[in-house]
Each structure stands twice: as structure tokens, then as C-alpha cells.
Amino acid sequence: MNIVVKTNKHGQSLGRKGLETRQRLMNAALQLLKTSSPVELTAVAIAKKAKSSSATFYLYFADVKGILLALNQAAETDMSVVHDILDEPWEPNTLDLDHAERVVKAFVSVWDKHREVLRYRNLEADRGDPAFEAIRLRTSIRIVNRFADHIFAAFPKRSKLTRTDATAEASVLVAAMERLAATDLETVNRGVGAEAMWAGMTRIVARTLTGMCDESKGK
């Protein structure tokens, strides 16, 4: 969902300069999140990083939570690249590793760009914050549904599969992708490594969306 902000917190219309100032504050917050915990983030620190003032910060955001929500909305918009790839036709009778790789790489790219923001979103959603919970749901539900569509399209090969089964499998698949994406790279590399893990995820996506268990049956 692409959210367009047209006014500041005082209800004043935002022109080019106002939009640039708002984006500069968001960029500053994102930079600070690379080295600081979201719970330590302050309006003063963000304004200073953006070479602005606290008064200017509060002209665009009610509080730090507000800017974190805005950053999550930006991440939600970026996730549309994954939606677009999944919206493409998927041949249920062919093990399409190339298509699966495109989905996985797009997903990883969004997480690499917004990891700190998305991890905070999940933390707050798990704590019951309705705003962050709504964003997480919106961000993932379309991916789950499209995965489910493709899984269910393999129905002739898996005659006992119901739509509910397909959605359940899709939900597990997305949860696994998100869990791997959220894990610190150093932690993953202490095991088999991120490259091997994502290659494995690509094969799982391809097999699941094709209803095939043997790569030799694919193209």
C-alpha cells in the first residue's frame, strides 16, 4: 500500500520542501537505527541527525512511534516488488527455480533495506500494538494469499489439498522466510551461511508452489 502524506501535523499542505524535510527526518531515523535500538531513539537525536530542530520534527510526527510507523509504511510499499513477482503466472507443472529465486531475492532485498524497522514492527505487533500489527498483517497477507493461489494451482498433483491447506502451507512458508530474513547475518553465517540458507529457501519455494518433491521432475 502506497501511503501519500499530504499535510503536516498542523494540517498544512506539504509542498516539495515539506516533503523533502519529512523524508530527511525519516532517513536520519533510519541511519540511527543502524547503530541504536529503536527504544533508544529520540526526537532530539533524529532532528540533530537531520540537521533540523525538535520543533521541526514535531511538525511532521507526533512522536518517535509516529516516525517508526512511517518507516514501516515505506517498507510496506517497497514489499510491492515481491507482490508483483508473485502476481505473475506460475506454471504448476514445472519446477521453476528461476521464478522462485526472483521472489526470494526481492524479499531479502526489502528486508536488508528495512531490517531494523521490520524487526521493531514484529516486536511491537507481538506485544499487541494494533498499529504495528495492522501493518504486519497488510504486508504479509497478500504474499500469503498469492503463495496459496500458486500452491492450490498444483491441486491436480495433490488431490487431497484444500484451499485451507494451501493457505496454511503459504503461511508457514512466509513465516520461515521472515524468520530467516530477521536473523542477524553473523548468526546465520555461523551455521551453513546466508547464501546456502537462501538457496535452500529458493528450492523449498519452488517445490511447494509446484507440488513436486523431486527436482528431477522439473525443467
Side-chain angles (χ1 to χ4, degrees):
M1 182 174 67
N2 191 4
I3 296 177
V4 179
V5 178
K6 297 182 178 181
T7 61
N8 61 24
K9 302 308 292 184
H10 293 171
Q12 299 166 324
S13 296
L14 291 181
R16 179 183 57 81
K17 185 177 179 180
L19 290 171
E20 288 176 351
T21 300
R22 185 178 186 274
Q23 187 60 53
R24 190 167 66 250
L25 288 164
M26 290 175 62
N27 291 342
L30 197 57
Q31 291 173 26
L32 288 171
L33 286 171
K34 300 293 183 183
T35 56
S36 305
S37 165
V39 297
E40 299 171 344
L41 205 60
T42 66
V44 172
I46 295 170
K48 182 178 179 181
K49 185 73 172 177
K51 295 181 172 56
S52 188
S53 66
S54 297
T56 298
F57 175 92
Y58 288 111
L59 185 61
Y60 297 96
F61 303 99
D63 48 28
V64 172
K65 177 182 176 180
I67 200 168
L68 287 168
L69 282 169
L71 288 169
N72 268 285
Q73 289 162 354
E76 180 184 2
T77 298
D78 283 355
M79 196 64 77
S80 64
V81 66
V82 181
H83 302 157
D84 291 343
I85 297 172
L86 282 171
D87 282 344
E88 297 171 5
W90 200 298
E91 174 52 56
N93 297 315
T94 302
L95 189 70
D96 195 343
L97 290 170
D98 291 339
H99 202 163
E101 184 178 38
R102 288 174 59 215
V103 172
V104 168
K105 283 187 173 181
F107 188 86
V108 172
S109 177
V110 176
W111 265 87
D112 283 347
K113 180 179 178 181
H114 301 282
R115 180 172 288 105
E116 293 79 15
V117 168
L118 292 172
R119 288 174 70 173
Y120 182 75
R121 177 204 69 186
N122 289 351
L123 174 64
E124 291 303 298
D126 289 341
R127 285 159 55 93
D129 187 295
F132 287 100
E133 188 174 12
I135 292 177
R136 179 167 67 175
L137 181 61
R138 287 199 311 265
T139 303
S140 64
I141 195 167
R142 185 174 176 187
I143 298 177
V144 169
N145 286 339
R146 293 305 285 129
F147 268 138
D149 289 341
H150 294 309
I151 292 170
F152 194 64
F155 183 82
K157 286 183 166 293
R158 307 168 69 179
S159 58
K160 294 182 180 180
L161 190 79
T162 66
R163 175 68 196 197
T164 299
D165 294 333
T167 302
E169 289 189 11
S171 299
V172 171
L173 189 58
V174 173
M177 290 174 63
E178 188 167 285
R179 182 66 184 88
L180 178 57
T183 303
D184 290 326
L185 188 59
E186 290 183 5
T187 301
V188 177
N189 285 333
R190 284 200 292 268
V192 299
E195 185 175 347
M197 291 288 283
W198 284 115
M201 184 64 72
T202 296
R203 293 191 294 273
I204 290 171
V205 169
R207 289 167 178 160
T208 304
L209 271 62
T210 311
M212 300 174 70
C213 297
D214 184 355
E215 288 185 22
S216 66
K217 295 178 183 178
K219 62 179 181 181

